[in-house]
Amino acid sequence: MSYLDLDNAQIIKDIGAIREDTRQELLSILTSFENGTCLILDNDFLLPLGLLVDKSELKELGVGKVFVFQDQDPKITQKNILFFIRPKKEVIEKVANYIKLNETNDTFSKKEFHIYFVPHKSFLCEKILEKQGVRGAVTINEFHFDLLNLDEDVFTLFLESSFQDYLSGDTTSLYFISSAINKLQGFFGMIPTVKYIGKNAKIVTDMLVRMGKDTHLDPSVQPKIHNLVVVDRMIDLITPMMIQLTYEGIIDELYEITNSYAEFEPKIIGKEGTKKEKYILNSNDVLFEELRDLNIGFVGEFLKQKARYIAEQYDQRHNLQEIRDISNFVHKLPGLQKEHFSLSIHLNILEDIFNKTQKTQKFQKYVNNQLGLVFEGNPVNEYVEEMMYTDESLVDVLRLLCLQSMVNNDFKGKVFDNFRKDIIQNYGFKHIFTLEKLAKLGMFQKRQTKGKGKMNFVQMKKILNLIDPNFDENKGISSVYSGYTPITARLIQKSIKSDGWKEIEEVLKQLTDGVYGEIAQQNAKSQNAPSENVVVQSDKKMVCFVFFVGGVTYSEISALRLLSQMEDSKYDFVVGTTQMINGKSLIESCFENYID
Amino acid sequence: MTEKFFSWSKLQEDYYTKFELYNLEWDLDLDIFIAEAAPNGGPIAIYRSPTKIVIQDREIYKGSNVHIFTSSGKRIGQIDCSKKPHIVKMGWTHDSRLIILFEDGEIFIHPLDNLFEPEIHNFGELCQQEGILESYITPNNIVVITFKFNILIFEIEDDQVTRLKEIKVPANTAITSLLFYELNYEINLVIGLSNEKVLQITRKGTKEIKLFDSQVVVKMDLSPNQKFFSCITNTGLVYVTTENFSNVLLQFDMKSSVIPEQLKWCGSDTILLYLKDIEKDGDVENLLLMIGRGNSFVNYYYGEEHLFITTETDGARIFSRNSCEFVSQVKPCRISIFKLGSVSPETILFESGNTFLEKNSKADLKIRKIMEDNQMHHAVTQCIFAAGFEFDTNIQRKLLRAASIGKSYCKTVEDSILNLNKFEEIKPIYCDPNLSHIHLHEPESTNFNHPLSIHNIFGQMSKLIRILNTIRDPDIGIPMTLPQFLHIGIDSLIEVLLKNKQYLISFEICKFMNLKQKNHVLISWACALIKSTRHDDDIYDMIQKKIDIELGKNQIRRSISYYEMANQASSAGRKNLAIRLLENELKPSKQVPLFLRMNENQTALNKAIESGDTSLVYSVLLKILSRKKYRLHQRKKSNSQTENLKFENLQKSMSENDIGFQQDLKLFKLLRGKPSAIDLLIGYWREQDHASLSILLRGLGLFSDVGLLKILENFSITKTLSTSDNLNDPHLKRLEEIEKSLDQLSVQNPENRLTDRDVVDKKILVLKEASTIFSAAKDSFHDKATNQQIKLLQKQLECEKITSQKFVGLSCSQTLFKLVTLNQTKRADKYRKELKISESKYWWIKIRALAHVKRFNELETLARSKSPIGYEPFALVCIENDAFNQASPFIEKISNSRRKAELYLKTGNYTRAIANAKQLNDPKFIDLIISKKRK
């Protein structure tokens, strides 16, 4: 089973070529050094590295040790020290300090420093190295690592701090996004239609179009991706504030998924010991593939049925009459066993989820408050106050406050100031910055008297048909948030319909400040080709690449998967994102790392 | 066609042809000029020999200019050397640039197209001091031997002078001849000396060549294929040896001791000698002597004409007063067609092919005969190649016509697939081994080795002939042969044409052959136009019009580099034109730096922002800021205090004459309407330069942000103050000074560089500044919050003093919590009021703290007074700390039965839970409790 048409699944395989490209580049970097190397990585880069090469390979390549950048500096015996880092000010300063500390003139223990910027070097970083007086001590290179797939239909750029960057006005990663998509076009042909929703999405699209003009794409390549929708995270900050209620989403909320891995108590995943262990969650696990997009409320029932089915299959062994039946059964057995194993793990996980969420009723209460707020507009002021009294985590508090600010047309001045005061008193003075940032994002702010023409969330809900309390397991995409349809998913659904935008023009204008649109890209030599193409392929599903600038949640991806499974869907979705996010990581990206 | 055959000279088995390429109108006596011609039919440079005295009125005979002519005698350039010392020698580089070596060791490398300034190099002091005795120029190297026999080599590509080990030469010995070449990356310098010795010098050392015993070698030359060496001695003996001097291949006695003016190879198979004043029939005439294999030779007499010979890879050009001639071996394909009495199939095809069109019936028969003999394929190929080697357009046409008729008889395409290498096995058409590697290929494809069908060869050859005929036209004057053309390739040909300023022809050739250099040619043309004296607007319009016509209005035009044109315009001082051209450039990474160089800061910044490449934006911003007039004016500390209060009226309060303010305004003007640039600058300064950032934020009216910046600083104050290295803030500098003085004080106590108290004091100092800013900005929330933080810090210091526990760094609530846990409840009560924490909140903190340290009796005491938060929280904090028994009395105080039941359930007191549940009339609830109880 796969999320995509067979032909479309081929695209993913083709993207394997990109991975291989990247891998080869890395290998050629690593093999170019003699006398042993040591890698020091940006936090962003540790996990993707694991996707490219494994430990034993690294050893063969003479890599002695791999470190992640931290404040304390590791002791290194290798001669060559390779830094794989993002071109960011904070990081480069750390590198400069490190080099200053470890530079020696002793020829015997002299180290060589090599900086590899991922994916591109930056003028500013070189300047900083110069300023710190270590420019002469390093070589500066690039490692062109950008898109990698996390799963069959999900790609990420691993720009873990992209949201934070946009917040501070650093749009460097937008440039990386455009180059990455342009690289993709090199493989799959120029994407005929590009739609953008939101300011950053427009910047990305404009750059993409400009880059497309400057790269000579092979005109003979028929476009394999038919539609690109670039979505700016900023247009929908409501959805990530919601607790994700799909199976995968809830695992992310409770255990935090990083690069498809989540950490569980060992006994849950059938291991021994006391330390938490990583368990991979992706579509290779057939059962998980079926489970991940389900609302958590349906998962128990589904697993029960599954268990019954597997038991039935096992029971067949009693009815085997002929040799052929036996051989068939034996043939099926490994798959069955695998599924059985996976079933037991998911049952364990589900039980653990119930333990975590039901026992204290805190989770339930939180979700109920949140849904009440979004569905009915019921204020949560008292509940939040209570949370602060009992010293609940600031993230949870802010998640709810932001949600209320956004769906209930912001806070009145006095209430706003009181909440701000309480937060600072309770959680510390440094959050003065957190609050500033949230206000700047429009997530938590004072009600403006002027903004009368503004459409409120109540109208938006209606026009976009966001709320469906009677959601169903099998139909509708609102099940991913127990009755709330993610705004992004709805907008994308409308984007791929012809004239779909017209129905929701008002909302779009409101969400994006009028920054949305569509661009037809055409390759110089095949101007007539795309339209023909669309007609010919009408019976086959087309591929729509959706790129989220600033991150996407697991539940939003689930919503898109459900969307493509709907009967009248003409599209398979492939999702690209700067990074995976959830409400927690989004709020935390507004925190400053200062010690009070 | 027999007349053709009769014009050939036979040297042993080989035929040679000498014919006039152009009739020259330059009317020059080459005897009084020193000449040097570029290879492959390239131009010839001449200058008047300083040693010859001739009185002539013509301007060209006067002065010391270098004149450049095409092979057809058209003057295409002139280099003024009147202010220079004497010219020692000239030569040409591979890409048709003229090398001039002056007496003082200076080297000029002059591009003919004037688009670039000539390169100037120098041999350096040693050469200047010792003077140049002899010199030799090859396309890559310039060699000089000084009067003290020091040898210096200048390598053009590497742009460096190497000095060889000096050679020891007995006194009064002169150098009679000199040759330099590179073979297998080894330099070889061969010197003929007047003491009858010949030396070969390499990097390894010096070797004496003893082949020419007791003779002085007066001239020498190396064949173009670098396989053969030839020389002539003072006794009139001509030698040809292998390049390593191991074998003498030929020894020719001239029976005269006249030293020839020139000894030159003609291709790599014969040598040419130019001798002056040779007796002939009682008269004296100038002689061109050609010596071929087996001592065969031909004499060409020229009367009083003076000659200049220049070697080509497949022959030689001979310049004289009135003509430019070409000497070369006749290719076998032409011999077999044109030889007297030939009955070869190609001859038959050639002859009958042309009569065929006149509907001669015999012609058809003859052609059929060739078919029957299975020779058509061969005959056609021979005709095609013969046409390629032909200069006479009439004969070319006839040959191609014959081939075209013949090829239509070639049966199928498969039959006629031809691999050139195989074809040569059947019958070598090239005698010259040097040419056997040449493949005829389609210029646009990179795969040279794929076999071509005979039809393709015909088509290709026709195209090549067209190109060759075009450039051979006297107006262009490049008499390039087919082998030369195939040798250098079409790309180099385009370069040569561009150097000769033949833009139109180059462009037409590019179009004709569908070459990628089309854009390059257009750019070169445009650059030349920019160098002209036309008006800016005209030039711009002409360029745009041309590009519109040639490249279409949008799509492909994208790939043309306007940057190069703009750069040319900029260096030509046409700034306006440069800007207009640069506007069209599509690559921001090229465009932006040039705008910046031209001081177009606004545009550079706009384009950089448009590109989305933040690295580019930063490069522009930092570059602009490094310019003095944009640098922000750092005001003195004393000002900034008062300034804080006045910034609302910043503009008014600053006098118009304040230079700093004017400068700041410039920057603000530049940044106006560019939020993304401002954001980037803010981001950069946040890390690097807080003082500038403050000024910027004020200028933008973001006064609260200035205050927040101060708060940021507050956080960076730590015991070590390490981060302040990056901050240029004068205030922080002052703090550093404090720190230094503290350091000095704390020498006795080195462990504690800065006490906690000092840190807090500093923090408070900075926070107070922030507060001032906030209050002036009427930002009451931040002002209050800051003041509260100051108060908190003060209280925390007190706490630390009393409890000797760490408090700084905690929030308000945490501070109170900790105080309660440390049995400082009274103090906590006091602080609660001062820190303005609401009563209900404080109650929560208190009970949580008490439960946390399990002081339940205090909790009970507290519960006796009236609680503003009810009693449920008391129960909850107990339950949270697993004190179920202690929770019960508090649960009892709750009035809501359901809540009571739920809480009892949590404590495990099922009896009480059920009792309370019973009052609710909710059987389901009771069931739930019972089921829990069973578990």
Side-chain angles (χ1 to χ4, degrees), chain B residues 173 183 187 240 264 317 345 630 814:
Chain B
T173 324
L183 197 64
I187 53 166
V240 173
K264 284 279 171 192
R317 267 181 296 159
Y630 286 106
Q814 287 162 339

Side-chain angles (χ1 to χ4, degrees), chain A residues 324-377:
Chain A
R324 190 148 39 105
D325 292 345
I326 296 173
S327 105
N328 272 347
F329 179 76
V330 172
H331 209 71
K332 254 193 321 199
L333 208 53
L336 214 53
Q337 281 168 337
K338 206 174 150 195
E339 215 169 331
H340 187 187
F341 175 71
S342 156
L343 178 70
S344 68
I345 283 176
H346 287 295
L347 279 168
N348 286 343
I349 293 175
L350 187 66
E351 196 192 335
D352 202 50
I353 290 174
F354 275 119
N355 277 341
K356 281 196 160 149
T357 56
Q358 307 286 32
K359 224 178 189 172
T360 59
Q361 288 168 356
K362 257 189 200 165
F363 186 83
Q364 204 69 38
K365 200 171 173 189
Y366 191 85
V367 171
N368 285 342
N369 266 290
Q370 172 193 285
L371 293 179
L373 174 61
V374 175
F375 287 8
E376 314 285 346

Side-chain angles (χ1 to χ4, degrees), chain A residues 197-200 231-239 406 441 454-457 460-461 463-464 466 484 486-492 504-516:
Chain A
I197 305 172
K199 189 177 133 240
N200 286 333
V231 185
D232 186 351
R233 178 78 268 169
M234 301 291 178
I235 62 135
D236 174 17
L237 293 169
I238 291 176
T239 306
M406 289 186 285
L441 283 166
K454 228 171 121 184
M455 181 193 303
N456 61 33
F457 186 68
M460 202 185 291
K461 275 196 288 199
I463 298 172
L464 291 180
L466 292 181
Y484 161 78
I487 296 176
T488 48
R490 185 68 86 214
L491 293 182
I492 291 157
I504 53 164
E505 222 170 352
E506 251 177 290
V507 183
L508 262 179
K509 262 185 204 155
Q510 160 84 26
L511 287 173
T512 63
D513 279 332
V515 187
Y516 64 97

Side-chain angles (χ1 to χ4, degrees), chain A residues 57-158:
Chain A
E57 261 182 302
L58 281 177
K59 215 166 215 172
E60 272 172 43
L61 290 163
V63 177
K65 268 178 182 163
V66 179
F67 294 100
V68 174
F69 230 104
Q70 262 148 10
D71 285 327
Q72 76 266 32
D73 45 303
K75 280 275 160 282
I76 289 167
T77 49
Q78 283 78 10
K79 183 172 167 64
N80 296 297
I81 301 177
L82 277 58
F83 296 93
F84 283 88
I85 52 170
R86 295 281 179 201
K88 299 181 73 176
K89 300 177 287 257
E90 313 87 72
V91 184
I92 197 72
E93 250 156 29
K94 279 189 204 166
V95 171
N97 283 335
Y98 181 86
I99 292 171
K100 273 193 219 160
L101 285 172
N102 289 279
E103 223 178 357
T104 63
N105 286 324
D106 179 9
T107 42
F108 184 67
S109 61
K110 196 172 163 69
K111 306 252 182 264
E112 284 180 17
F113 302 99
H114 310 274
I115 297 178
Y116 285 84
F117 284 112
V118 185
H120 296 291
K121 60 184 173 191
S122 92
F123 175 81
L124 194 61
C125 287
E126 286 185 51
K127 263 261 137 57
I128 291 172
L129 287 175
E130 257 171 50
K131 206 173 163 186
Q132 299 276 355
V134 293
R135 176 65 187 86
V138 295
T139 67
I140 290 184
N141 314 278
E142 290 182 350
F143 174 48
H144 304 99
F145 165 87
D146 40 38
L147 272 183
L148 265 197
N149 52 331
L150 274 183
D151 210 322
E152 266 192 2
D153 54 349
V154 183
F155 292 86
T156 166
L157 283 168
F158 300 98

Side-chain angles (χ1 to χ4, degrees), chain B residues 133-254:
Chain B
L133 171 65
E134 271 298 338
S135 60
Y136 196 88
I137 297 179
T138 70
N140 287 331
N141 300 289
I142 303 157
V143 186
V144 296
I145 301 177
T146 66
F147 280 100
K148 289 189 177 164
F149 285 95
N150 272 311
I151 303 166
L152 301 168
I153 301 170
F154 178 77
E155 289 166 76
I156 292 172
E157 263 171 36
D158 301 344
D159 189 10
Q160 62 174 24
V161 177
T162 7
R163 187 174 160 190
L164 289 188
K165 227 174 157 184
E166 70 189 286
I167 45 168
K168 291 207 173 69
V169 173
N172 299 327
T173 324
I175 293 175
T176 53
S177 58
L178 188 63
L179 178 68
F180 178 84
Y181 57 96
E182 272 179 294
L183 197 64
N184 303 329
Y185 304 106
E186 176 59 281
I187 53 166
N188 279 278
L189 184 66
V190 186
I191 307 176
L193 293 170
S194 59
N195 63 355
E196 301 178 348
K197 279 190 175 151
V198 177
L199 301 177
Q200 185 188 17
I201 301 162
T202 62
R203 282 205 182 87
K204 285 175 204 142
T206 310
K207 206 168 74 180
E208 204 182 317
I209 296 162
K210 292 184 175 161
L211 279 177
F212 324 106
D213 266 351
S214 26
Q215 295 174 77
V216 178
V217 173
V218 290
K219 288 271 181 242
M220 45 194 176
D221 196 19
L222 191 75
S223 69
N225 63 3
Q226 298 202 314
K227 286 197 170 144
F228 310 111
F229 171 83
S230 71
C231 66
I232 183 163
T233 65
N234 56 347
T235 54
L237 279 177
V238 177
Y239 292 90
V240 173
T241 76
T242 51
E243 99 284 351
N244 52 8
F245 307 103
S246 60
N247 268 326
V248 175
L249 302 171
L250 183 143
Q251 192 175 352
F252 182 88
D253 192 353
M254 298 238 297

Side-chain angles (χ1 to χ4, degrees), chain A residues 89 168, chain B residues 618 621 675-689 693 696-697 700 702 705:
Chain A
K89 300 177 287 257
S168 61
Chain B
Y618 272 129
L621 282 176
S676 55
I678 292 172
D679 282 348
L680 286 175
L681 194 57
I682 289 175
Y684 174 65
W685 274 342
R686 196 180 291 281
E687 306 289 330
Q688 306 284 333
D689 183 355
L693 181 55
L696 178 66
L697 290 174
L700 295 167
L702 300 170
D705 286 341

Side-chain angles (χ1 to χ4, degrees), chain A residues 398-549:
Chain A
L398 284 174
R399 228 170 141 168
L400 216 46
L401 277 179
C402 289
L403 201 59
Q404 174 157 347
S405 176
M406 289 186 285
V407 306
N408 276 5
N409 208 4
D410 306 329
F411 285 100
K412 279 185 190 149
K414 208 173 169 199
V415 183
F416 180 64
D417 277 355
N418 270 337
F419 272 125
R420 287 205 287 177
K421 193 186 87 194
D422 282 351
I423 286 168
I424 290 173
Q425 278 185 349
N426 234 18
Y427 301 98
F429 188 50
K430 65 177 175 182
H431 291 294
I432 203 166
F433 296 110
T434 311
L435 296 170
E436 272 310 295
K437 285 181 188 170
L438 291 172
K440 206 173 152 196
L441 283 166
M443 290 174 75
F444 178 54
Q445 57 185 1
K446 203 187 279 188
R447 191 173 296 166
Q448 303 288 328
T449 41
K450 288 175 202 164
K452 269 195 174 167
K454 228 171 121 184
M455 181 193 303
N456 61 33
F457 186 68
V458 180
Q459 289 163 285
M460 202 185 291
K461 275 196 288 199
K462 225 172 171 181
I463 298 172
L464 291 180
N465 190 18
L466 292 181
I467 307 299
D468 173 21
N470 306 316
F471 66 96
D472 190 296
E473 176 183 358
N474 295 315
K475 56 177 188 192
I477 49 180
S478 64
S479 71
V480 296
Y481 285 103
S482 289
Y484 161 78
T485 306
I487 296 176
T488 48
R490 185 68 86 214
L491 293 182
I492 291 157
Q493 188 184 16
K494 296 281 179 191
S495 302
I496 52 172
K497 243 170 85 181
S498 54
D499 278 349
W501 275 359
K502 261 196 189 146
E503 305 162 17
I504 53 164
E505 222 170 352
E506 251 177 290
V507 183
L508 262 179
K509 262 185 204 155
Q510 160 84 26
L511 287 173
T512 63
D513 279 332
V515 187
Y516 64 97
E518 176 178 347
I519 290 174
Q521 281 199 110
Q522 271 174 353
N523 210 335
K525 288 179 185 168
S526 60
Q527 288 184 339
N528 303 322
S531 58
E532 269 173 45
N533 207 23
V534 174
V535 178
V536 173
Q537 296 195 335
S538 58
D539 57 327
K540 219 187 84 185
K541 275 195 177 182
M542 290 183 282
V543 175
C544 177
F545 186 49
V546 182
F547 198 98
F548 289 89
V549 180

